[in-house]
Amino acid sequence: MRVYGYGGKVVKVNLSSGRVAVEDTPRDFVDAVGGKMFAARFFHEHVRPEDPFDPDNVLMLAAGPACGTRLPMASKLGLYFISPLTNLFGESYMGGNIMAEMKWAGVDAIIVTGRSDRPVYIYIHDYDVEIRDAGDLWGLTTSEAERRIKEEVGYADASVAVIGPAGEKLVRFANVSHNSTGEGRESKAGRLGAGAVMGSKRLKAIAVKASGRGVEVYDEDGLARLARRVVGKISEDPIGTGAKNYRTYGTPGTLFAGLAKGFFSSHYFGRCGSPYAESLNPEVLRERFYKRSVACYNCPLSCGKITVVEEGPYKGTRVKGPEYETIFAFGGLNDIADYAAIAKINRVCDELGVDTIEMGNVAALTLYAVEKGRLKLEGFRFGDPESVLRLVEMAATRDGIGDKLAEGVARFAREAGLEDIAVHVKGLSPPGYDPRVLNTMALEYCVSDRGADHLRMTAYAYEILGKLEGLKGPEDVVAFLVDVEDRNIVADSMILCRFSRFIYGWGEVVEALRCITGVERGVEDLRKAANEARTRIRLLNIARGLKPEVDDDLPPRFYNEAVEFQGKTYRLERGEVRRMVREYYRLRGWDGRGYPREGLGRPA
Ligand code: SF4
């Protein structure tokens, strides 16, 4: 049977033996709609490393049927692995153009196992796969390594996913960088330490080059019509799509709400809002620093912004960003009230290859502990860019105390006796949506399979935009968010950018799958598949030691420390949070303690 919408091959590379296999894409991949739903099944059934740095950990890079087609915003590649930060299922998504390049090369997924005895990179040119020596690249920053790889393979437009020195040194929150050379379309698989998994395999990079372009789809005309409808939705910017905001300011547009409503917290969660709101206003970024907009493959939204610092001590800094989360991590948690300094810290993180959210959290915990007299470290203080830059460099190179910071907030806090003040869930530090202000984020942080994560449901977006108003009570809110999460799981399989959440409803998702693959899948069928994937990840995580009754919870500071913002006190009631969590379990078909019952389904 002809299979539309897929590349047709899966590349398997075992770095221990040097064996390479190019195999037909398995039926399971197509049935699962690719990406996340395939990875959930694959990892649940096959991946059992004792430690994330063991050679038998798997690094899977998977695209989905929509990638590389004309469908707008199908612009993400999924990276799946066991996370060195949480020791649980890891998933992280990067934009740019690598997902399209892979599909055009005929490759749906790259599955890497084993550990090389020397630094290497993988080069895929259509179905030719080589393991190449990376001895000269080891130790290079992301931009320099990517530049050299493009020269070596002889294609300036090859797509490269690369790690920096932090990944090589097994910094547990090392990222994977793509298009790092600063020309635009730069993207990261930021969270959960995929870069450290690559480092543990002595894999510096994966480069992909396709000879042709395009993916054969079932109904080209239907897809063209749908694409026009989607572009129309984006240009009209109907209330709440956020398209205009994203296009003008990029993700920092969220700062308007974050600073006004107070969910942008600062001083390592000691405050909600920021005393530096004026300096952090996104208009400052737009007027003084933005040079141009950039987009991932086939995305009319162009949320990427190239920032250039033209004066002052950080003159010459150029970065794609800083994104909202990076501004929160450094401008909020570390009280850095200067966009030039934040851009510089962002650039250093990018070059060394670390996730800015976890890095900002671990730096802020350090400064908070110093301020409280719980840690002795001379010359480091909140609000000082040089303090933070030194912490970034030390963590990314495991120098001095950086060796401990490189372990991430949870492990560092455990070793330094700081657990009572550390803020994380399941080992992952939070992004910029304080759950004391945005209560639905309490649910998301508790139950997300990634830990304190904002992107499985994106509850913050619905709460900020008032889309939960009118629902009758917490049970209805949870049901609404479970449905959103199901749709996001399908989107993470196709794979659509998360910022398309208000553009692709279930109707568009079903129609896109029909046009691309020729297979008609109804909403209930897709929701069932999403629930199954969610439950598989849950079972995998429980097998890896997750204890839902303990781990599906927030750090004590969120319950014990109320915050004042604009004359109002924000306090999180644990009973209310547990009520939402229990309802979530029920809707997923899990028992009252968060363990899946028999089977993978949800209650009738
Ligand atoms: S919205 Fe932004 S991140 Fe998403 S695909 Fe478009 S440019 Fe990339």
Side-chain angles (χ1 to χ4, degrees):
M1 194 184 95
R2 190 157 196 176
V3 181
Y4 293 98
Y6 293 88
K9 298 288 179 191
V10 168
V11 171
K12 293 184 177 171
V13 180
N14 183 322
L15 291 173
S16 296
S17 65
R19 187 170 178 275
V20 170
V22 180
E23 299 176 357
D24 288 345
T25 298
R27 189 71 230 176
D28 279 0
F29 191 93
V30 174
D31 290 345
V33 200
K36 177 169 177 172
M37 292 200 285
F38 174 70
R41 182 178 194 135
F42 185 91
F43 275 72
H44 178 215
E45 292 181 350
H46 303 295
V47 182
R48 304 265 180 283
E50 213 170 292
D51 186 279
F53 291 144
D54 286 349
D56 53 349
N57 194 0
V58 170
L59 176 71
M60 177 191 290
L61 287 74
C67 298
T69 70
R70 66 162 72 220
L71 192 74
M73 301 183 82
S75 319
K76 294 284 166 177
L77 180 72
L79 277 72
Y80 307 99
F81 48 96
I82 299 299
S83 164
L85 206 53
T86 63
N87 195 30
L88 305 174
F89 178 75
E91 57 180 310
S92 199
Y93 297 83
M94 62 160 58
N97 54 311
I98 189 167
M99 76 305 295
E101 197 77 29
M102 265 176 65
K103 287 289 292 292
W104 298 340
V107 176
D108 291 307
I110 303 166
I111 299 175
V112 184
T113 52
R115 175 188 294 146
S116 171
D117 55 9
R118 65 200 158 88
V120 293
Y121 72 94
I122 297 169
Y123 177 45
I124 300 174
H125 190 168
D126 300 329
Y127 294 146
D128 287 337
V129 183
E130 289 174 57
I131 301 173
R132 291 188 168 192
D133 186 77
D136 289 350
L137 304 172
W138 209 244
L140 295 183
T141 61
T142 53
S143 67
E144 188 53 28
E146 179 162 342
R147 213 170 283 131
R148 295 264 289 271
I149 288 168
K150 285 179 169 174
E151 275 169 26
E152 271 189 34
V153 302
Y155 293 100
D157 60 348
S159 286
V160 181
V162 66
I163 61 169
E168 298 169 12
K169 291 194 178 286
L170 310 187
V171 174
R172 288 182 186 270
F173 47 93
N175 64 19
V176 181
S177 185
H178 165 48
N179 285 340
S180 347
T181 49
E183 291 118 31
R185 285 196 180 176
E186 188 172 340
S187 189
K188 315 278 179 312
R191 306 226 73 192
L192 291 169
V197 175
M198 280 179 68
S200 74
K201 297 184 176 306
R202 299 203 179 92
L203 178 62
K204 182 71 178 175
I206 298 175
V208 184
K209 174 68 187 143
S211 300
R213 282 174 80 91
V215 176
E216 194 179 7
V217 302
Y218 172 73
D219 178 358
E220 192 63 65
D221 292 344
L223 191 62
R225 279 195 299 278
L226 177 62
R228 279 198 295 278
R229 211 164 84 211
V230 166
V231 172
K233 255 183 151 180
I234 294 170
S235 346
E236 283 161 22
D237 191 24
I239 307 274
T241 63
K244 192 165 173 217
N245 205 11
Y246 272 84
R247 195 180 281 146
T248 309
Y249 300 100
T251 55
T254 306
L255 277 157
F256 288 119
L259 292 167
K261 293 176 191 272
F263 61 79
F264 178 96
S265 36
S266 53
H267 208 78
Y268 198 53
F269 304 100
R271 285 188 306 245
C272 276
S274 166
Y276 312 110
E278 215 171 294
S279 314
L280 295 176
N281 187 313
E283 284 296 354
V284 175
L285 257 184
R286 193 177 69 84
E287 283 170 12
R288 283 187 44 206
F289 296 100
Y290 284 171
K291 289 299 161 214
R292 66 186 173 96
S293 296
V294 286
C296 301
Y297 166 73
N298 194 21
C299 177
L301 212 57
S302 307
C303 81
K305 306 293 163 203
I306 300 285
T307 285
V308 178
V309 180
E310 291 177 326
E311 56 190 10
Y314 305 114
K315 184 177 171 181
T317 299
R318 181 187 167 92
V319 71
K320 178 171 168 257
E323 304 291 350
Y324 170 78
E325 307 303 346
T326 304
I327 297 167
F328 156 74
F330 297 111
L333 295 184
N334 288 278
D335 289 340
I336 307 291
D338 170 14
Y339 272 130
I342 293 170
K344 176 68 181 178
I345 296 165
N346 193 163
R347 186 71 220 168
V348 172
C349 287
D350 288 357
E351 288 289 6
L352 296 173
V354 288
D355 170 29
T356 55
I357 302 178
E358 190 69 27
M359 185 65 243
N361 269 272
V362 82
L365 169 61
T366 306
L367 300 180
Y368 196 72
V370 168
E371 187 179 78
K372 299 259 174 226
R374 304 274 301 270
L375 193 68
K376 286 215 175 321
L377 206 57
E378 292 296 321
F380 288 83
R381 59 183 170 79
F382 277 109
D384 173 28
E386 292 305 312
S387 293
V388 176
L389 276 167
R390 275 159 63 207
L391 290 174
V392 170
E393 278 160 7
M394 286 194 291
T397 56
R398 286 191 176 269
D399 175 29
I401 193 176
D403 193 37
K404 296 186 178 13
L405 307 187
E407 295 292 294
V409 160
R411 286 178 177 80
F412 168 52
R414 207 176 304 136
E415 192 179 327
L418 302 172
E419 281 179 294
D420 56 319
I421 56 172
V423 175
H424 68 89
V425 179
K426 301 184 180 84
L428 187 74
S429 294
Y433 312 94
D434 197 303
R436 290 167 293 192
V437 177
L438 293 175
N439 289 173
T440 56
M441 289 308 293
L443 169 70
E444 183 151 7
Y445 288 168
C446 282
V447 300
S448 166
D449 53 56
R450 297 208 310 183
D453 168 58
H454 61 301
L455 289 170
R456 300 316 94 205
M457 297 178 190
T458 64
Y460 67 95
Y462 295 88
E463 189 169 342
I464 294 167
L465 292 168
K467 288 174 184 279
L468 305 176
E469 286 160 17
L471 296 173
K472 282 201 202 88
E475 282 73 18
D476 282 6
V477 169
V478 178
F480 178 92
L481 292 173
V482 166
D483 185 61
V484 170
E485 186 178 48
D486 283 344
R487 188 156 41 84
N488 287 344
I489 290 170
V490 177
D492 288 342
S493 306
M494 293 171 68
I495 296 175
L496 305 174
C497 173
R498 183 62 83 248
F499 299 148
S500 71
R501 66 196 144 205
F502 298 126
I503 296 160
Y504 286 89
W506 277 118
E508 284 84 4
V509 164
V510 166
E511 179 62 0
L513 284 174
R514 186 198 68 76
C515 292
I516 293 168
T517 66
V519 179
E520 309 235 4
R521 296 197 64 168
V523 175
E524 275 319 302
D525 176 33
L526 290 170
R527 290 186 73 227
K528 187 164 167 268
N531 194 70
E532 186 175 316
R534 181 72 184 85
T535 300
R536 281 186 184 279
I537 293 169
R538 187 69 167 188
L539 289 167
L540 165 68
N541 285 347
I542 288 169
R544 296 197 63 76
L546 177 82
K547 293 196 169 38
E549 61 275 37
V550 177
D551 298 324
D552 282 359
D553 209 346
L554 298 175
R557 285 185 61 201
F558 281 152
Y559 294 122
N560 300 338
E561 291 180 21
V563 275
E564 303 283 330
F565 183 70
Q566 294 182 349
K568 193 172 163 191
T569 303
Y570 290 89
R571 189 186 306 280
L572 199 53
E573 296 299 334
R574 195 163 187 279
E576 293 301 311
V577 176
R578 298 321 297 167
R579 185 175 161 192
M580 288 194 289
V581 168
R582 278 196 303 275
E583 181 61 8
Y584 179 90
Y585 293 161
R586 192 186 72 75
L587 292 171
R588 286 275 170 229
W590 305 346
D591 71 17
R593 296 182 314 140
Y595 291 79
R597 300 176 201 275
E598 293 291 299
L600 299 167
R602 67 169 100 226

